Amino acid sequence: MNSHLFYYLPQSKTSQPILDFYLVNTSIAENGNKVKVTINETEFIINKWAAYEISGLKNSENTVRIQLLDKNNELIW
């Protein structure tokens, strides 16, 4: 079975956006698969599932990219 990553970025004009994701047929850990999030060209590596509040955004429009990486930091397709 293939590993999949689904994410949800709710749109709200009243609070900070929340980055939330769901993993299928995989998990993430410090020494295992990871999630790489890029927000306006700044990269973050996540190895623990949680919903994350995104703060400090300066622009009214922002770019968020989320990718599933294997333990060798290679992209999982």
Side-chain angles (χ1 to χ4, degrees):
M1 293 187 169
N2 292 333
S3 301
H4 296 283
L5 167 71
F6 299 92
Y7 74 96
Y8 175 65
L9 185 61
Q11 303 296 315
S12 172
K13 297 184 189 300
T14 60
S15 64
Q16 299 291 349
I18 302 293
L19 174 68
D20 198 3
F21 57 89
Y22 181 75
L23 300 163
V24 176
N25 296 324
T26 191
S27 60
I28 56 175
E30 187 173 335
N31 295 317
N33 293 347
K34 299 165 196 60
V35 172
K36 176 180 163 185
V37 178
T38 307
I39 302 173
N40 297 335
E41 300 181 23
T42 301
E43 295 180 355
F44 303 90
I45 299 296
I46 297 172
N47 57 31
K48 180 181 176 189
W49 179 86
Y52 293 89
E53 182 177 285
I54 302 172
S55 61
L57 298 175
K58 306 285 187 216
N59 305 321
S60 60
E61 291 194 22
N62 298 278
T63 303
V64 177
R65 183 177 187 186
I66 185 168
Q67 299 170 292
L68 182 60
L69 305 178
D70 67 15
K71 66 180 181 178
N72 298 314
N73 294 324
E74 299 292 327
L75 183 63
I76 296 176
W77 291 93

Coordinates of all heavy atoms in Angstrom, one line a residue:
M1 N 0.8 -1.2 0.0 CA 0.0 0.0 0.0 C 0.9 1.2 0.0 O 1.9 1.3 0.7 CB -0.9 0.0 1.2 CG -1.9 -1.0 1.3 SD -3.0 -0.7 2.7 CE -4.2 -1.8 2.4
N2 N 0.4 2.2 -0.7 CA 1.2 3.5 -0.8 C 0.9 4.4 0.4 O -0.2 4.4 0.9 CB 0.8 4.2 -2.1 CG 1.3 3.5 -3.3 OD1 2.3 2.8 -3.3 ND2 0.6 3.7 -4.4
S3 N 1.9 5.2 0.7 CA 1.7 6.2 1.8 C 1.1 7.4 1.2 O 1.5 7.8 0.1 CB 3.1 6.5 2.4 OG 3.6 5.3 3.0
H4 N 0.3 8.1 1.9 CA -0.4 9.3 1.5 C -0.4 10.3 2.6 O -0.5 10.0 3.7 CB -1.8 9.1 1.0 CG -1.9 8.2 -0.2 ND1 -1.6 8.6 -1.5 CD2 -2.2 6.9 -0.3 CE1 -1.7 7.6 -2.3 NE2 -2.1 6.5 -1.6
L5 N -0.4 11.6 2.2 CA -0.5 12.7 3.1 C -1.6 13.6 2.6 O -1.6 14.0 1.4 CB 0.8 13.5 3.1 CG 0.8 14.8 3.8 CD1 0.7 14.7 5.3 CD2 2.1 15.6 3.5
F6 N -2.6 13.9 3.4 CA -3.6 14.9 3.1 C -3.5 16.0 4.1 O -3.3 15.8 5.2 CB -5.0 14.2 3.2 CG -5.2 13.0 2.3 CD1 -4.9 11.7 2.7 CD2 -5.6 13.2 1.0 CE1 -5.0 10.7 1.9 CE2 -5.8 12.1 0.1 CZ -5.5 10.8 0.6
Y7 N -3.8 17.2 3.6 CA -3.7 18.3 4.5 C -4.9 19.2 4.3 O -5.6 19.3 3.3 CB -2.4 19.1 4.5 CG -2.3 20.0 3.3 CD1 -2.6 21.3 3.4 CD2 -1.8 19.5 2.1 CE1 -2.4 22.2 2.3 CE2 -1.6 20.3 1.0 CZ -1.9 21.7 1.1 OH -1.7 22.5 0.1
Y8 N -5.2 20.0 5.4 CA -6.3 20.9 5.4 C -5.8 22.2 6.0 O -5.2 22.2 7.1 CB -7.4 20.3 6.3 CG -8.6 21.2 6.5 CD1 -9.4 21.6 5.4 CD2 -8.9 21.7 7.8 CE1 -10.5 22.5 5.6 CE2 -10.0 22.6 7.9 CZ -10.8 22.9 6.9 OH -11.8 23.8 7.0
L9 N -6.0 23.3 5.3 CA -5.6 24.6 5.8 C -6.9 25.5 5.8 O -7.2 26.0 4.8 CB -4.5 25.2 4.9 CG -3.9 26.5 5.3 CD1 -3.2 26.4 6.6 CD2 -3.0 27.0 4.2
P10 N -7.6 25.5 6.9 CA -8.8 26.3 7.0 C -8.6 27.7 6.7 O -7.6 28.3 7.1 CB -9.4 26.0 8.4 CG -8.3 25.4 9.1 CD -7.2 24.9 8.2
Q11 N -9.5 28.4 6.1 CA -9.5 29.8 5.8 C -10.3 30.5 6.8 O -11.5 30.2 7.0 CB -10.0 30.1 4.4 CG -9.3 29.3 3.3 CD -7.8 29.7 3.1 OE1 -7.5 30.9 3.2 NE2 -7.0 28.8 3.0
S12 N -9.7 31.5 7.5 CA -10.4 32.2 8.5 C -9.9 33.6 8.5 O -8.7 33.8 8.5 CB -10.3 31.6 9.9 OG -10.8 32.4 10.9
K13 N -10.7 34.6 8.6 CA -10.3 36.0 8.6 C -10.2 36.5 10.1 O -9.8 37.6 10.3 CB -11.3 36.9 7.8 CG -11.3 36.5 6.3 CD -12.2 37.4 5.6 CE -12.4 37.0 4.2 NZ -11.4 36.9 3.3
T14 N -10.6 35.7 11.0 CA -10.6 36.1 12.4 C -9.5 35.6 13.3 O -9.3 36.0 14.4 CB -12.0 35.7 13.1 OG1 -12.1 34.3 13.0 CG2 -13.1 36.4 12.3
S15 N -8.8 34.6 12.8 CA -7.7 34.0 13.7 C -6.6 33.5 12.8 O -6.6 33.6 11.6 CB -8.3 32.8 14.5 OG -8.7 31.8 13.6
Q16 N -5.5 33.1 13.4 CA -4.3 32.6 12.7 C -4.7 31.3 12.0 O -5.5 30.5 12.5 CB -3.2 32.3 13.7 CG -2.7 33.5 14.4 CD -2.0 34.5 13.5 OE1 -1.7 34.2 12.4 NE2 -1.7 35.6 14.0
P17 N -4.2 31.1 10.8 CA -4.5 29.8 10.1 C -3.9 28.6 10.8 O -2.9 28.7 11.5 CB -3.9 30.0 8.7 CG -3.0 31.2 8.8 CD -3.4 31.9 10.0
I18 N -4.6 27.5 10.7 CA -4.1 26.2 11.3 C -3.7 25.2 10.2 O -4.5 25.0 9.3 CB -5.2 25.6 12.2 CG1 -5.7 26.6 13.2 CG2 -4.8 24.3 12.8 CD1 -4.7 26.9 14.3
L19 N -2.5 24.7 10.3 CA -2.1 23.6 9.4 C -2.4 22.3 10.0 O -1.9 22.0 11.1 CB -0.6 23.8 9.1 CG 0.0 22.6 8.3 CD1 -0.5 22.7 6.8 CD2 1.5 22.7 8.3
D20 N -3.2 21.5 9.4 CA -3.6 20.2 9.9 C -3.4 19.2 8.8 O -3.7 19.5 7.6 CB -5.0 20.2 10.4 CG -5.3 19.1 11.4 OD1 -4.4 18.3 11.7 OD2 -6.5 19.0 11.8
F21 N -3.0 18.0 9.1 CA -2.8 17.0 8.1 C -3.1 15.6 8.6 O -3.3 15.4 9.8 CB -1.3 17.0 7.6 CG -0.3 16.8 8.6 CD1 0.2 15.5 9.0 CD2 0.3 17.8 9.3 CE1 1.1 15.3 10.0 CE2 1.3 17.7 10.3 CZ 1.7 16.4 10.6
Y22 N -3.3 14.7 7.7 CA -3.7 13.3 8.0 C -2.8 12.4 7.2 O -2.6 12.6 6.0 CB -5.2 13.1 7.7 CG -5.7 11.7 8.0 CD1 -5.9 11.4 9.3 CD2 -5.9 10.8 7.0 CE1 -6.4 10.1 9.6 CE2 -6.4 9.6 7.3 CZ -6.7 9.2 8.6 OH -7.1 8.0 8.9
L23 N -2.3 11.3 7.8 CA -1.4 10.4 7.2 C -2.2 9.1 6.9 O -2.9 8.6 7.8 CB -0.2 10.1 8.0 CG 0.7 11.4 8.3 CD1 1.6 11.1 9.4 CD2 1.4 11.8 7.0
V24 N -2.0 8.4 5.8 CA -2.6 7.1 5.5 C -1.4 6.2 5.1 O -0.6 6.5 4.3 CB -3.5 7.3 4.3 CG1 -4.1 5.9 3.9 CG2 -4.7 8.2 4.6
N25 N -1.5 5.0 5.8 CA -0.5 3.9 5.5 C 0.9 4.4 5.9 O 1.9 3.9 5.3 CB -0.5 3.4 4.1 CG -1.8 2.8 3.8 OD1 -2.4 2.1 4.6 ND2 -2.3 2.9 2.6
T26 N 1.1 5.3 6.8 CA 2.4 5.7 7.3 C 2.3 6.4 8.6 O 1.2 6.7 9.1 CB 3.1 6.6 6.2 OG1 4.5 6.8 6.6 CG2 2.4 8.0 6.1
S27 N 3.4 6.7 9.2 CA 3.4 7.5 10.4 C 4.7 8.4 10.3 O 5.5 8.2 9.4 CB 3.5 6.7 11.7 OG 4.6 5.9 11.7
I28 N 4.8 9.4 11.2 CA 6.1 10.2 11.2 C 6.7 10.1 12.5 O 6.1 9.9 13.5 CB 5.8 11.7 10.8 CG1 4.7 12.3 11.7 CG2 5.3 11.8 9.3 CD1 4.5 13.8 11.5
A29 N 8.1 10.2 12.5 CA 8.9 10.1 13.7 C 10.2 10.7 13.5 O 10.6 10.9 12.3 CB 9.0 8.6 14.1
E30 N 10.9 11.0 14.5 CA 12.2 11.6 14.4 C 13.2 10.8 13.5 O 13.9 11.4 12.7 CB 12.8 11.8 15.8 CG 14.1 12.6 15.8 CD 14.6 12.9 17.2 OE1 13.8 12.9 18.2 OE2 15.8 13.1 17.4
N31 N 13.2 9.5 13.6 CA 14.1 8.7 12.8 C 13.3 7.9 11.7 O 13.8 7.0 11.2 CB 14.8 7.6 13.7 CG 15.7 8.3 14.7 OD1 16.4 9.2 14.4 ND2 15.6 7.9 15.9
G32 N 12.1 8.4 11.3 CA 11.4 7.8 10.3 C 10.9 8.8 9.3 O 11.6 9.8 9.0
N33 N 9.7 8.6 8.7 CA 9.2 9.6 7.8 C 8.9 10.9 8.5 O 8.7 10.9 9.7 CB 7.9 9.0 7.2 CG 8.1 7.8 6.3 OD1 9.2 7.5 5.9 ND2 7.0 7.2 6.0
K34 N 8.9 11.9 7.7 CA 8.7 13.3 8.2 C 7.8 14.1 7.2 O 7.6 13.7 6.1 CB 10.1 14.0 8.3 CG 11.1 13.4 9.2 CD 12.5 13.9 8.9 CE 13.5 13.1 9.5 NZ 13.6 11.7 9.1
V35 N 7.3 15.2 7.7 CA 6.5 16.1 6.9 C 7.4 17.4 6.7 O 7.8 18.0 7.7 CB 5.2 16.4 7.5 CG1 4.5 17.5 6.7 CG2 4.3 15.1 7.5
K36 N 7.5 17.8 5.5 CA 8.3 19.0 5.2 C 7.2 20.1 4.8 O 6.4 19.9 3.9 CB 9.3 18.8 4.1 CG 10.0 20.1 3.7 CD 11.0 19.8 2.5 CE 11.4 21.0 1.8 NZ 12.3 20.6 0.6
V37 N 7.2 21.2 5.5 CA 6.3 22.3 5.3 C 7.1 23.5 4.8 O 8.1 23.9 5.5 CB 5.4 22.6 6.5 CG1 4.5 23.8 6.2 CG2 4.7 21.4 7.0
T38 N 6.7 24.1 3.7 CA 7.3 25.3 3.2 C 6.3 26.4 3.2 O 5.2 26.3 2.6 CB 7.9 25.1 1.8 OG1 8.8 24.0 1.8 CG2 8.7 26.3 1.4
I39 N 6.6 27.5 4.0 CA 5.7 28.6 4.0 C 6.4 29.8 3.5 O 7.4 30.2 4.1 CB 5.1 28.9 5.4 CG1 4.4 27.6 6.0 CG2 4.2 30.1 5.5 CD1 4.0 27.7 7.4
N40 N 6.0 30.4 2.4 CA 6.7 31.5 1.8 C 8.2 31.3 1.7 O 9.0 32.2 2.1 CB 6.3 32.8 2.5 CG 4.9 33.1 2.5 OD1 4.2 32.7 1.6 ND2 4.4 33.9 3.5
E41 N 8.6 30.2 1.3 CA 10.0 29.8 1.0 C 10.8 29.5 2.3 O 12.0 29.3 2.3 CB 10.7 30.9 0.2 CG 10.1 31.1 -1.1 CD 10.8 32.2 -2.0 OE1 12.0 32.4 -1.7 OE2 10.2 32.7 -2.9
T42 N 10.2 29.5 3.5 CA 10.8 29.1 4.7 C 10.4 27.6 5.0 O 9.2 27.3 5.1 CB 10.4 30.0 5.9 OG1 10.8 31.3 5.6 CG2 11.1 29.5 7.2
E43 N 11.4 26.7 5.2 CA 11.1 25.3 5.4 C 11.1 24.9 6.9 O 11.9 25.4 7.7 CB 12.1 24.5 4.7 CG 12.1 24.6 3.2 CD 13.1 23.8 2.4 OE1 13.9 23.1 3.1 OE2 13.1 23.8 1.2
F44 N 10.2 24.0 7.2 CA 10.1 23.4 8.5 C 10.0 21.9 8.4 O 9.3 21.4 7.5 CB 8.8 23.9 9.3 CG 8.7 25.4 9.4 CD1 8.1 26.1 8.4 CD2 9.3 26.1 10.4 CE1 8.0 27.5 8.5 CE2 9.2 27.4 10.5 CZ 8.6 28.2 9.5
I45 N 10.6 21.1 9.2 CA 10.5 19.7 9.2 C 9.7 19.3 10.5 O 10.0 19.7 11.6 CB 11.9 19.0 9.3 CG1 12.7 19.3 8.0 CG2 11.7 17.5 9.4 CD1 12.1 18.9 6.7
I46 N 8.6 18.5 10.3 CA 7.7 18.1 11.3 C 7.9 16.6 11.5 O 7.7 15.8 10.5 CB 6.3 18.5 11.0 CG1 6.1 20.0 10.9 CG2 5.3 17.9 12.0 CD1 4.8 20.5 10.4
N47 N 8.1 16.1 12.7 CA 8.2 14.7 12.9 C 7.2 14.2 14.0 O 7.3 13.1 14.5 CB 9.7 14.2 13.3 CG 10.2 14.9 14.5 OD1 9.5 15.3 15.4 ND2 11.5 15.1 14.5
K48 N 6.3 15.1 14.4 CA 5.3 14.7 15.4 C 4.0 15.3 14.9 O 3.9 16.5 14.6 CB 5.6 15.3 16.7 CG 4.6 15.0 17.8 CD 5.0 15.6 19.1 CE 3.9 15.4 20.1 NZ 4.2 16.1 21.4
W49 N 2.9 14.4 14.8 CA 1.6 14.9 14.4 C 1.0 15.9 15.4 O 1.0 15.6 16.6 CB 0.7 13.8 14.1 CG -0.6 14.4 13.6 CD1 -0.9 14.8 12.3 CD2 -1.7 14.8 14.4 NE1 -2.2 15.3 12.3 CE2 -2.7 15.4 13.6 CE3 -2.0 14.7 15.8 CZ2 -3.9 15.9 14.0 CZ3 -3.2 15.3 16.2 CH2 -4.1 15.8 15.4
A50 N 0.5 17.0 14.9 CA -0.3 17.9 15.7 C -0.9 18.9 14.7 O -0.4 19.0 13.5 CB 0.6 18.7 16.7
A51 N -1.8 19.7 15.1 CA -2.3 20.8 14.3 C -1.5 22.0 14.7 O -1.2 22.2 15.9 CB -3.8 21.1 14.6
Y52 N -0.9 22.7 13.7 CA 0.0 23.8 14.0 C -0.6 25.1 13.6 O -1.1 25.3 12.5 CB 1.3 23.6 13.2 CG 2.1 22.4 13.7 CD1 1.9 21.1 13.1 CD2 3.0 22.5 14.7 CE1 2.6 20.0 13.5 CE2 3.8 21.4 15.1 CZ 3.5 20.1 14.5 OH 4.2 19.0 15.0
E53 N -0.5 26.1 14.5 CA -1.0 27.4 14.2 C 0.2 28.1 13.4 O 1.3 28.1 13.8 CB -1.3 28.2 15.5 CG -1.8 29.6 15.2 CD -2.1 30.3 16.5 OE1 -3.2 30.0 17.1 OE2 -1.3 31.2 16.9
I54 N -0.2 28.8 12.4 CA 0.8 29.5 11.6 C 0.7 31.0 11.9 O -0.4 31.6 11.8 CB 0.5 29.4 10.0 CG1 0.5 27.9 9.7 CG2 1.5 30.2 9.2 CD1 0.1 27.6 8.2
S55 N 1.7 31.5 12.5 CA 1.7 32.9 12.9 C 2.8 33.7 12.2 O 3.7 33.1 11.6 CB 1.9 33.0 14.4 OG 3.1 32.5 14.8
G56 N 2.8 35.0 12.3 CA 3.8 35.8 11.7 C 3.7 36.1 10.2 O 4.7 36.6 9.6
L57 N 2.6 35.7 9.6 CA 2.4 36.0 8.2 C 2.3 37.5 7.9 O 1.5 38.1 8.6 CB 1.2 35.2 7.6 CG 1.3 33.7 7.8 CD1 0.0 33.1 7.3 CD2 2.4 33.1 7.0
K58 N 3.1 38.0 7.0 CA 3.1 39.4 6.7 C 2.2 39.8 5.5 O 1.7 40.9 5.4 CB 4.5 39.9 6.4 CG 5.5 39.5 7.5 CD 5.4 40.4 8.7 CE 6.5 40.2 9.7 NZ 6.1 40.3 11.0
N59 N 2.0 38.9 4.6 CA 1.3 39.1 3.4 C -0.2 38.7 3.5 O -0.5 37.9 4.3 CB 1.9 38.4 2.2 CG 3.4 38.7 2.0 OD1 3.8 39.8 2.2 ND2 4.1 37.6 1.7
S60 N -1.0 39.3 2.7 CA -2.4 38.9 2.7 C -2.6 37.6 1.9 O -3.5 36.8 2.2 CB -3.3 40.0 2.1 OG -2.9 40.2 0.7
E61 N -1.7 37.3 1.0 CA -1.7 36.0 0.3 C -0.3 35.3 0.6 O 0.7 35.9 0.5 CB -1.9 36.2 -1.2 CG -3.3 36.6 -1.5 CD -3.6 36.5 -3.0 OE1 -2.9 35.7 -3.7 OE2 -4.5 37.2 -3.4
N62 N -0.4 34.0 0.9 CA 0.8 33.3 1.3 C 0.8 31.9 0.6 O -0.2 31.4 0.2 CB 0.9 33.1 2.8 CG 0.9 34.4 3.5 OD1 2.0 35.0 3.7 ND2 -0.2 34.9 4.0
T63 N 2.0 31.3 0.5 CA 2.1 30.0 -0.2 C 2.5 29.0 0.9 O 3.5 29.2 1.6 CB 3.2 30.1 -1.3 OG1 2.9 31.1 -2.2 CG2 3.3 28.7 -2.0
V64 N 1.7 27.9 0.9 CA 2.0 26.8 1.9 C 2.2 25.5 1.0 O 1.3 25.2 0.2 CB 0.9 26.6 2.9 CG1 1.2 25.4 3.8 CG2 0.7 27.9 3.7
R65 N 3.3 24.8 1.2 CA 3.5 23.6 0.5 C 3.8 22.5 1.6 O 4.6 22.8 2.5 CB 4.7 23.7 -0.5 CG 4.9 22.5 -1.3 CD 6.1 22.7 -2.2 NE 6.2 21.6 -3.1 CZ 7.2 21.4 -4.0 NH1 8.1 22.4 -4.1 NH2 7.2 20.4 -4.7
I66 N 3.3 21.3 1.4 CA 3.5 20.3 2.4 C 3.8 19.0 1.7 O 3.2 18.7 0.7 CB 2.3 20.1 3.3 CG1 2.5 19.1 4.4 CG2 1.0 19.8 2.6 CD1 1.5 19.1 5.5
Q67 N 4.9 18.3 2.1 CA 5.4 17.1 1.4 C 5.7 16.0 2.5 O 6.2 16.3 3.6 CB 6.7 17.5 0.7 CG 6.4 18.5 -0.4 CD 7.8 19.0 -1.0 OE1 8.5 19.6 -0.3 NE2 8.0 18.6 -2.3
L68 N 5.5 14.8 2.1 CA 5.9 13.6 2.9 C 7.3 13.2 2.5 O 7.5 12.9 1.3 CB 4.8 12.5 2.7 CG 5.0 11.3 3.6 CD1 5.0 11.6 5.1 CD2 4.0 10.3 3.2
L69 N 8.2 13.1 3.4 CA 9.6 12.6 3.2 C 9.8 11.3 3.9 O 9.3 11.0 4.9 CB 10.6 13.6 3.7 CG 10.5 15.1 3.2 CD1 11.5 15.9 3.9 CD2 10.5 15.2 1.7
D70 N 10.7 10.5 3.3 CA 11.1 9.2 4.0 C 12.2 9.5 5.0 O 12.6 10.6 5.1 CB 11.4 8.1 2.9 CG 12.7 8.4 2.1 OD1 13.5 9.3 2.5 OD2 12.9 7.7 1.1
K71 N 12.7 8.4 5.6 CA 13.7 8.6 6.6 C 15.0 9.2 6.1 O 15.8 9.7 6.9 CB 13.9 7.3 7.4 CG 14.5 6.2 6.5 CD 14.7 4.9 7.3 CE 15.3 3.9 6.5 NZ 15.6 2.6 7.2
N72 N 15.2 9.1 4.8 CA 16.4 9.7 4.2 C 16.1 11.1 3.6 O 16.9 11.6 2.8 CB 16.9 8.7 3.1 CG 17.3 7.4 3.6 OD1 18.0 7.3 4.6 ND2 16.8 6.3 3.0
N73 N 15.0 11.7 3.9 CA 14.6 13.0 3.5 C 14.3 13.0 2.0 O 14.5 14.1 1.3 CB 15.6 14.1 3.9 CG 15.6 14.3 5.4 OD1 14.6 14.2 6.0 ND2 16.8 14.5 5.9
E74 N 14.0 11.9 1.4 CA 13.6 11.8 0.0 C 12.1 11.9 -0.1 O 11.3 11.3 0.7 CB 14.1 10.5 -0.7 CG 15.6 10.3 -0.6 CD 16.3 11.3 -1.6 OE1 15.7 11.7 -2.6 OE2 17.4 11.7 -1.2
L75 N 11.6 12.6 -1.1 CA 10.1 12.8 -1.3 C 9.4 11.5 -1.6 O 9.9 10.7 -2.4 CB 9.9 13.7 -2.5 CG 8.5 14.1 -2.8 CD1 7.8 14.9 -1.7 CD2 8.5 14.9 -4.1
I76 N 8.4 11.2 -0.9 CA 7.5 10.0 -1.1 C 6.4 10.4 -2.1 O 5.7 11.4 -1.8 CB 6.9 9.5 0.2 CG1 8.0 9.0 1.1 CG2 5.9 8.4 -0.1 CD1 7.5 8.5 2.5
W77 N 6.4 9.8 -3.2 CA 5.4 10.1 -4.2 C 4.1 9.5 -3.9 O 3.5 8.7 -4.0 CB 5.9 9.8 -5.6 CG 7.0 10.7 -6.0 CD1 8.3 10.5 -5.8 CD2 6.9 12.0 -6.6 NE1 9.1 11.5 -6.3 CE2 8.2 12.5 -6.8 CE3 5.9 12.8 -7.0 CZ2 8.5 13.7 -7.3 CZ3 6.2 14.0 -7.5 CH2 7.5 14.5 -7.7

